[in-house]
């Protein structure tokens, strides 16, 4: 059985809205072959969203967790529309009082699975008491 995998090189750019980020993702996805079975995005793909908050510091970094639902809806919609499995990079997500770097996998039907990364990103130690 032949499986086609497309690994996306995503240029992190500061964006001022989630819509700008969405447009970046959709533009990149439009360049992925339709016969790809799996599409892979890089770790911390949403890091450019930190620029949507005043200043760019550790606090704005953790605030990107506020985009979790939009991030998940975006990739869920794309995976269903294209009928492709998308490994949507990872995203910082707040759960209770903890911050996690979570990688999501969106199936062709839009369902998703998650994996909490076992290694910490470098800024994690600075953000422990947010």
């Amino acid at each position: 059985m032949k499986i086609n995998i497309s690994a996306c090189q995503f240029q992190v750019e500061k964006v001022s809205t989630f819509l700008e980020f969405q447009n970046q993702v959709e533009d990149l996805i439009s360049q992925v072959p339709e016969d790809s079975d799996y599409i892979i995005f890089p770790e911390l793909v949403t890091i450019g969203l930190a620029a949507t908050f005043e200043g760019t510091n550790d606090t704005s970094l953790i605030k990107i967790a506020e985009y979790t639902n939009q991030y998940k809806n975006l990739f869920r919609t794309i995976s269903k529309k294209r009928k492709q499995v998308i490994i949507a990079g990872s995203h910082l997500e707040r759960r209770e009082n903890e911050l996690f770097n979570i990688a999501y996998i969106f199936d062709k039907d839009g369902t998703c699975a998650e994996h909490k990364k076992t290694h910490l990103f470098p800024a994690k130690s600075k953000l422990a008491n947010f």
Side-chain angles (χ1 to χ4, degrees):
M1 176 164 84
K2 181 180 175 185
I3 296 175
N4 293 320
I5 300 171
S6 292
C8 296
Q9 177 119 6
F10 190 84
Q11 183 172 335
V12 175
E13 296 176 3
K14 291 181 179 180
V15 293
S16 58
T17 65
F18 187 85
L19 183 58
E20 284 183 41
F21 170 76
Q22 179 177 328
N23 290 338
Q24 287 179 323
V25 170
E26 289 173 344
D27 181 54
L28 183 59
I29 275 286
S30 72
Q31 300 172 50
V32 173
E34 291 184 17
D35 66 344
S36 293
D37 298 297
Y38 296 90
I39 303 170
I40 303 171
F41 280 81
E43 182 169 14
L44 294 175
V45 69
T46 56
I47 200 78
L49 289 167
T52 64
F53 300 99
E54 184 129 350
T56 48
N57 53 37
D58 291 344
T59 304
S60 60
L61 180 67
I62 62 174
K63 285 186 173 188
I64 65 174
E66 293 176 21
Y67 289 111
T68 298
N69 289 334
Q70 289 171 282
Y71 157 83
K72 289 167 65 174
N73 288 333
L74 171 62
F75 283 101
R76 179 178 291 118
T77 300
I78 294 170
S79 66
K80 283 174 65 174
K81 179 179 178 182
R82 292 182 60 101
K83 298 190 181 357
Q84 293 169 308
V85 175
I86 299 176
I87 301 146
S90 65
H91 171 71
L92 299 179
E93 185 173 332
R94 185 183 307 207
R95 294 200 178 160
E96 297 179 19
N97 283 334
E98 292 187 68
L99 191 64
F100 295 97
N101 186 14
I102 299 178
Y104 284 94
I105 302 170
F106 296 87
D107 206 341
K108 298 172 187 179
D109 63 0
T111 58
C112 71
E114 68 178 53
H115 171 71
K116 289 181 188 172
K117 304 291 278 254
T118 56
H119 62 281
L120 303 178
F121 57 96
K124 172 71 172 178
S125 60
K126 293 180 185 178
L127 304 174
N129 296 315
F130 65 95

